[in-house]
Amino acid sequence: MQTKTIKKSNLTETDIITKFILPSIKNAGWDDMTQIRQEVKLRDGQVIVRGQIGMRKTVKSADIVLYHKPNMPLAVIEAKANKYDVGKGMQQGLDYARLLEVPFIFASNGDGYIFHDKTNPTQLETEISLDEFPTPTDLWNKYCIYRGFKKEQLPLITQDYHDDGSGKSPRYYQLQAINKTIEAVSRGQKRMLLVMATGTGKTYTAFQIIWRLWKSRQKKRILFLADRNILVDQTKTNDFQPFGEALTKVTKRTVDPAYEIHLALYQALTGPEEYQKAFKQVDPDFFDLIIIDECHRGSAADDSAWREILEYFRGATQVGLTATPKETEEVSNIDYFGEPVYTYSLKEGIEDGFLAPYKVVRVDIDVDLQGWRPTKGQMDKNGELIEDRIYNQKDFDRTLVIDERTQLVAETVTSYLKCTDPMAKTIIFCNDINHAERMRRALVNLNPGQIAKNEKYVMKITGDDEIGKAQLDNFINPKKAYPVIATTSELMTTGVDAQTCKLIVLDQNIQSMTKFKQIIGRGTRINDKYNKLWFTILDFKKATELFADETFDGEPVQIMERTPEEIDEGKVDIETPPEHPDDENTITENPPSDYDAQTDGTTDDQLPINNDDWGEITDDDEEKRFIKFHVSGVTVKKMAERVQYYDTDGKLVTESFKDYTRKTMGSQFSSLDEFVKRWNTADRKQTVIDELEEVGIIWEALTQEVGIDLDPFDMICHVVYDQPALTRKERANNVKKRNYFTKYSDTAQTVLDNLLNKYADVGVQEIESMQVLKVQPFNQIGSLSEIIKKGFGGKPQYEQAISELEAEIYQPTQQTA
């Protein structure tokens, strides 16, 4: 029997990979199970937000990644169909290689390879045949020389990752962070800093680092330090669970030397009194690895409690983890740990689609901008004489409480939730515990219907409130609907993994960039399952002006909405009183003496959750520090409410979605004629629609802003090129007037007439899918195959009829002249 020869140029990219590239790789000795992975998705796809709608950009996967061992990448192979040049995929492969930090890139069309070899700077690219593909040993040896690995480093560098059998593997940036840390340890480096944005999996990264060092026996006793019970407990239960019986949590200020992996609150290991320094129960050389979570908090200052522990175990390898390294004149992470071995920023996380983008709604209140001054001799609600001066934004809810201002903030939050999603998890950051309680009360009174359904709709979650703290786990659990709104001060600024938090309200004076980044981090986690792709920041205190700071690395998403004219704030004359310190600066690094006496000998579960709780002041403490005046009867109103977007340079940009569409289309098509030509020549209009969605044009959002339900073609013509709006129904009627269907059989005419009606109702996407023939009214005519065969004579004839129908629908009119 004669074998039919398949022409290689007719093969798809997948066929080229299957029939030519994979056999070539396997023949060179690469193991199919442990060293070859196909369709490796490195990014999740950036979330594009328009109005209240979010969608992910489609991302391409690396065709093939080659590994020395699982999670130790060496090379990227990018394939193209044979109709393209052999090196067509090189630039794409170079981009993937940059993410994975591998030096070997191959591009192929099935005829051979273009081999890009960064280890050979004298000849970066060469062409090799399919039979000349390098062996695993060849690339590994070249890689080791390229990275400068010495023989004694290899046992640690090649130590296996933990594999739980679920198929979970580190993301590309986690791989880099883990591998770079392991390599640094193998070189004998003692102190390392990893900077990874909130929500990017620092704890999982730390687990894999510890696992490989522990399994290799390079490090035998490990201490993982955190400053919050919830962090320690989550770590023990989740990421660190594979350590099994080797793992313990330090409780009752007792370090048990029988265990190898120790999780501890640093508050449980130290204190101002010598007898509280539990870390001294073991010798200074007991721990040979210490991981410090959120190290910007406790270990940055020379006199901090964490630093005391680190200095005691100075011989141990010490790795600091933080999303926000602290660098000021007084404190420095880098001074202690050195320059970061790896950094993955908030901006990178948003661009890759691993972190949620966000929009900012700035709300300006008149008393904040213009200030408030008491009348002569005015007494507050408690009978205190109010100091005669002008109070402004930094005073409110710190030295002066205005009930009406609290009410207005609560009303604005309630209105926003009612207009978007009343069940959207919300964190409101207040100045102190008293402020958080008053905000809770105002929100309860404004939401009686929700409170009737569940009294936990609004909860105060602060360090002094055991009932509120007990609800923290429920708040961050996506499966738990309640609480919905949490009012807080300091307790939830860090370490709270609120995956479904969709609204962050800033009614707190924030001047610290570190604290601002941590607060923003409460909303940056993505949860596709619960439709949490982006979040909103509702800012009442101008805190988001910190976006313009050069140390901020993640700009808000561009939101295309109409916004009011900005108020000219420069005309407002405000007398600025002496500033009170920012909350962060009032937090003591060491517990106060009354705390020590109270908690000595208690279990960790009875300890405050973290340093911030020492900063949470009670009403009694407030009286000792300063008098807080409390007034009511003040007229308070909003002066402006607007959506803002800051670009990568921290500059304010305000732009409608129509403006964005015009600008984007200008970069895609030089003229209306070019767009019309692309539309008319496309075999499927859906292809053009998808292309425009890829660059961020979301039709539903554009329809909402324009206020007219138009076909995508007419929407672009109207919005971008100022053509008169022509509806789908008008286009369909124009086709019917031309008596176009008469050349077809009766059955075909009936089908096409119904398809035209479908177009008028739904759009061109509907008529381009054959599946529409399976539903009413088409299924009354016959089955899909019967309609195509009897009505049109076959599939090619049916597809031709659809093309002609679309040509009639989009026949040039005055609109596109």
Side-chain angles (χ1 to χ4, degrees):
M1 184 176 70
Q2 186 176 4
T3 303
K4 185 176 180 181
T5 303
I6 300 176
K7 193 174 181 181
K8 187 187 285 189
S9 60
N10 292 335
L11 294 177
T12 65
E13 181 181 303
T14 301
D15 287 332
I16 292 296
I17 292 172
T18 304
K19 301 179 187 298
F20 297 96
I21 297 177
L22 284 176
S24 165
I25 298 169
K26 293 175 186 177
N27 288 340
W30 293 85
D31 186 271
D32 195 22
M33 296 299 294
T34 61
Q35 295 183 307
I36 304 172
R37 282 185 61 198
Q38 293 181 251
E39 292 297 314
V40 180
K41 187 179 178 184
L42 300 178
R43 300 181 177 99
D44 265 4
Q46 183 177 0
V47 175
I48 302 297
V49 182
R50 301 292 178 256
Q52 296 295 320
I53 302 164
M55 61 170 286
R56 283 190 183 276
K57 281 187 176 180
T58 302
V59 293
K60 296 180 179 178
S61 301
D63 289 331
I64 300 173
V65 177
L66 300 181
Y67 298 81
H68 173 65
K69 298 178 74 173
N71 295 312
M72 298 179 192
L74 285 179
V76 170
I77 303 173
E78 193 59 33
K80 296 297 176 185
N82 190 255
K83 63 182 179 180
Y84 297 109
D85 181 74
V86 64
K88 170 72 172 176
M90 180 55 71
Q91 291 192 146
Q92 197 173 335
L94 285 167
D95 181 51
Y96 298 140
R98 176 184 59 81
L99 297 179
L100 291 169
E101 285 204 348
V102 297
F104 309 118
I105 304 94
F106 298 85
S108 179
N109 65 353
D111 290 338
Y113 299 96
I114 299 298
F115 176 25
H116 186 104
D117 182 1
K118 296 183 184 296
T119 71
N120 183 11
T122 59
Q123 190 172 6
L124 279 174
E125 293 191 357
T126 56
E127 188 166 359
I128 61 176
S129 68
L130 293 175
D131 296 333
E132 293 175 311
F133 197 86
T135 68
T137 302
D138 290 338
L139 289 192
W140 175 245
N141 289 339
K142 289 164 72 76
Y143 181 80
C144 289
I145 295 171
Y146 177 70
R147 297 301 297 268
F149 296 157
K150 296 178 181 178
K151 186 176 180 180
E152 56 268 24
Q153 293 177 252
L154 295 182
L156 176 55
I157 289 172
T158 58
Q159 175 62 46
D160 291 340
Y161 278 68
H162 177 265
D163 184 356
D164 62 4
S166 68
K168 178 182 179 180
S169 61
R171 294 168 174 171
Y172 83 84
Y173 62 85
Q174 293 171 338
L175 278 180
Q176 288 198 36
I178 296 164
N179 289 341
K180 285 178 180 294
T181 303
I182 294 295
E183 290 170 15
V185 173
S186 74
R187 293 193 299 269
Q189 189 170 328
K190 283 294 188 180
R191 294 176 180 176
M192 283 142 280
L193 180 64
L194 285 177
V195 179
M196 298 172 64
T198 299
T200 56
K202 290 191 295 295
T203 307
Y204 174 70
T205 300
F207 162 72
Q208 289 289 4
I209 291 170
I210 295 172
W211 178 269
R212 292 176 66 190
L213 290 170
W214 182 60
K215 279 294 184 179
S216 69
R217 306 313 290 167
Q218 294 286 321
K219 305 296 177 185
K220 299 184 175 87
R221 293 191 182 95
I222 295 100
L223 173 63
F224 183 90
L225 275 175
D227 71 341
R228 298 200 171 199
N229 252 321
I230 190 171
L231 292 177
V232 173
D233 291 339
Q234 286 178 349
T235 299
K236 182 180 179 182
T237 304
N238 300 326
D239 289 318
F240 280 38
Q241 188 272 337
F243 287 121
E245 294 183 355
L247 176 69
T248 187
K249 175 185 174 182
V250 175
T251 58
K252 298 184 179 179
R253 295 187 182 273
T254 300
V255 179
D256 189 342
Y259 293 90
E260 294 185 328
I261 316 291
H262 297 252
L263 304 179
L265 283 170
Y266 82 86
Q267 297 98 316
L269 292 182
T270 190
E273 302 298 331
E274 188 64 26
Y275 71 88
Q276 295 172 321
K277 302 184 188 302
F279 62 90
K280 292 186 178 181
Q281 294 171 11
V282 294
D283 294 335
D285 61 354
F286 181 78
F287 291 114
D288 47 21
L289 174 66
I290 301 178
I291 306 286
I292 308 96
D293 194 24
E294 303 290 1
C295 68
H296 65 278
R297 303 177 61 76
S299 63
D302 289 337
D303 59 350
S304 71
W306 287 25
R307 187 66 67 86
E308 182 182 33
I309 298 173
L310 300 183
E311 291 293 345
Y312 182 79
F313 298 110
R314 67 175 61 89
T317 298
Q318 299 173 1
V319 181
L321 307 176
T322 183
T324 52
K326 184 177 290 187
E327 297 301 316
T328 69
E329 293 181 2
E330 292 79 24
V331 296
S332 171
N333 288 118
I334 292 176
D335 179 59
Y336 184 81
F337 290 103
E339 292 290 336
V341 295
Y342 184 70
T343 298
Y344 187 70
S345 70
L346 173 63
K347 178 181 178 182
E348 290 173 302
I350 292 174
E351 289 176 347
D352 286 339
F354 296 123
L355 296 179
Y358 48 95
K359 69 177 178 180
V360 176
V361 179
R362 261 280 300 277
V363 181
D364 292 335
I365 299 175
D366 58 351
V367 293
D368 290 1
L369 300 181
Q370 299 169 350
W372 178 84
R373 184 175 182 177
T375 59
K376 186 176 181 179
Q378 183 173 348
M379 311 291 282
D380 78 347
K381 292 174 68 173
N382 299 315
E384 294 284 349
L385 178 64
I386 304 173
E387 180 185 351
D388 185 14
R389 64 176 177 86
I390 295 179
Y391 296 83
N392 68 7
Q393 190 172 61
K394 291 184 179 180
D395 289 297
F396 298 136
D397 298 301
R398 294 184 68 88
T399 59
L400 177 73
V401 173
I402 298 178
D403 286 336
E404 287 77 12
R405 188 189 179 284
T406 305
Q407 180 71 13
L408 181 60
V409 171
E411 287 174 355
T412 305
V413 173
T414 299
S415 175
Y416 181 88
L417 290 173
K418 285 181 178 179
C419 292
T420 54
D421 178 8
M423 296 302 292
K425 292 292 179 83
T426 300
I427 304 176
I428 303 178
F429 288 96
C430 303
N431 271 318
D432 54 37
I433 290 174
N434 176 272
H435 185 195
E437 169 57 27
R438 288 185 288 102
M439 187 62 66
R440 182 202 67 81
R441 195 180 314 135
L443 287 163
V444 166
N445 290 330
L446 286 167
N447 293 274
Q450 296 291 352
I451 298 298
K453 294 177 185 177
N454 191 309
E455 64 182 13
K456 293 184 175 66
Y457 181 75
V458 184
M459 293 288 293
K460 176 171 74 79
I461 302 180
T462 53
D464 72 320
D465 192 320
E466 294 302 321
I467 295 176
K469 281 195 295 186
Q471 290 298 317
L472 183 56
D473 283 344
N474 289 333
F475 180 82
I476 65 179
N477 187 343
K479 296 180 181 179
K480 302 289 186 180
Y482 298 94
V484 174
I485 304 174
T487 67
T488 190
S489 173
E490 299 293 333
L491 182 60
M492 300 176 72
T493 55
T494 66
V496 178
D497 186 9
Q499 297 178 31
T500 55
C501 178
K502 293 185 178 181
L503 178 62
I504 288 178
V505 180
L506 303 179
D507 198 26
Q508 181 183 112
N509 297 318
I510 303 170
Q511 296 174 351
S512 160
M513 177 58 71
T514 299
K515 183 175 182 180
F516 178 64
K517 283 186 177 182
Q518 289 291 339
I519 287 176
I520 297 306
R522 300 314 100 211
T524 54
R525 286 166 174 82
I526 282 180
N527 191 313
D528 290 272
K529 180 179 178 181
Y530 290 89
N531 196 33
K532 162 62 189 306
L533 294 176
W534 59 281
F535 69 105
T536 300
I537 301 168
L538 194 55
D539 180 16
F540 292 90
K541 288 291 184 82
K542 297 184 181 179
T544 49
E545 289 182 351
L546 287 170
F547 284 134
D549 192 294
E550 62 182 10
T551 62
F552 190 82
D553 60 7
E555 69 277 7
V557 67
Q558 192 164 351
I559 303 297
M560 311 310 165
E561 294 183 357
R562 292 183 181 275
T563 60
E565 292 284 325
E566 291 207 14
I567 301 241
D568 183 2
E569 297 173 6
K571 296 180 180 178
V572 180
D573 184 17
I574 303 176
E575 178 185 331
T576 304
E579 292 186 7
H580 293 289
D582 184 77
D583 278 6
E584 178 168 315
N585 298 328
T586 68
I587 299 168
T588 57
E589 289 290 358
N590 293 308
S593 57
D594 58 340
Y595 158 78
D596 296 325
Q598 178 185 349
T599 60
D600 182 36
T602 61
T603 66
D604 273 3
D605 292 334
Q606 293 171 293
L607 294 174
I609 288 185
N610 76 329
N611 277 2
D612 282 340
D613 293 324
W614 303 322
E616 296 250 53
I617 51 179
T618 65
D619 291 338
D620 291 339
D621 291 331
E622 288 170 4
E623 290 299 323
K624 295 173 186 176
R625 292 172 55 189
F626 53 79
I627 295 175
K628 181 182 286 188
F629 301 114
H630 194 152
V631 299
S632 61
V634 178
T635 301
V636 177
K637 62 182 180 180
K638 287 187 289 186
M639 296 182 69
E641 181 174 329
R642 55 198 179 276
V643 177
Q644 297 180 330
Y645 157 70
Y646 296 78
D647 65 16
T648 53
D649 298 320
K651 296 178 181 177
L652 180 65
V653 176
T654 303
E655 188 174 34
S656 73
F657 188 36
K658 290 198 295 184
D659 292 337
Y660 172 83
T661 302
R662 293 188 190 103
K663 185 168 68 176
T664 302
M665 286 295 296
S667 67
Q668 302 294 313
F669 302 98
S670 61
S671 65
L672 170 61
D673 288 340
E674 185 180 341
F675 167 66
V676 171
K677 181 179 179 181
R678 173 73 182 99
W679 183 271
N680 287 335
T681 57
D683 291 334
R684 295 178 69 249
K685 311 309 179 192
Q686 184 64 48
T687 302
V688 183
I689 294 170
D690 292 342
E691 289 172 354
L692 294 178
E693 283 187 348
E694 279 293 301
V695 294
I697 296 177
I698 302 177
W699 304 105
E700 184 179 349
L702 191 56
T703 297
Q704 289 177 0
E705 184 168 316
V706 174
I708 309 173
D709 186 12
L710 299 176
D711 180 281
F713 174 81
D714 289 290
M715 182 69 76
I716 293 299
C717 290
H718 177 60
V719 170
V720 179
Y721 302 109
D722 297 319
Q723 300 295 313
L726 194 61
T727 66
R728 291 192 300 269
K729 185 169 290 188
E730 287 171 330
R731 284 194 175 276
N733 288 336
N734 287 341
V735 174
K736 292 179 179 181
K737 290 175 184 177
R738 290 194 288 270
N739 206 21
Y740 153 72
F741 296 138
T742 54
K743 67 177 183 177
Y744 293 100
S745 68
D746 290 343
T747 300
Q749 286 188 43
T750 302
V751 171
L752 291 172
D753 186 64
N754 284 323
L755 285 173
L756 194 58
N757 292 333
K758 281 283 185 184
Y759 162 78
D761 291 338
V762 183
V764 70
Q765 302 98 313
E766 187 77 7
I767 68 174
E768 289 188 336
S769 171
M770 281 190 182
Q771 299 305 310
V772 72
L773 300 180
K774 293 182 178 181
V775 301
Q776 290 186 351
F778 303 99
N779 57 6
Q780 297 175 355
I781 302 173
S783 67
L784 186 151
S785 58
E786 288 173 343
I787 291 173
I788 291 176
K789 187 173 182 180
K790 295 181 180 179
F792 296 89
K795 184 177 178 180
Q797 293 89 332
Y798 174 79
E799 290 177 341
Q800 179 61 32
I802 296 300
S803 295
E804 291 177 359
L805 175 60
E806 289 183 344
E808 286 294 319
I809 290 173
Y810 297 107
Q811 192 175 105
T813 64
Q814 184 180 358
Q815 175 163 343
T816 57

